[in-house]
């Protein structure tokens, strides 16, 4: 299972950023997760008009990792 995260920053200022985590996941495949990050980026101006999506990441939710995130 994959969880979606999107890095959003104030337009024109990459020093003021936030990481958004998706509330609809997790997703069975990486491709579904990536598709969701693009949906978030498209909807972002409606919810945070002064922000732009810069990057995304789909983390694999692996119970064996014991709370650790592989990067």
């Amino acid at each position: 299972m994959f969880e979606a995260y999107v890095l959003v920053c104030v337009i024109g200022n990459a020093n003021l950023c936030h990481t958004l985590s998706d509330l609809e996941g997790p997703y069975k495949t990486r491709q579904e997760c990536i598709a969701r990050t693009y949906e978030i980026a498209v909807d972002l101006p409606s919810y945070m008009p002064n922000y732009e999506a810069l990057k995304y990441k789909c983390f694999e939710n692996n119970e064996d990792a014991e709370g650790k995130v592989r990067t």
Side-chain angles (χ1 to χ4, degrees), residues 13-48:
N13 189 344
N15 293 323
L16 296 173
C17 300
H18 301 283
T19 302
L20 303 179
S21 60
D22 180 43
L23 299 175
E24 294 183 14
Y27 302 93
K28 292 182 182 179
T29 67
R30 182 177 299 279
Q31 199 59 33
E32 288 175 321
C33 181
I34 291 170
R36 177 61 181 142
T37 63
Y38 279 90
E39 289 176 12
I40 292 169
V42 168
D43 290 342
L44 185 65
S46 299
Y47 298 99
M48 300 174 79

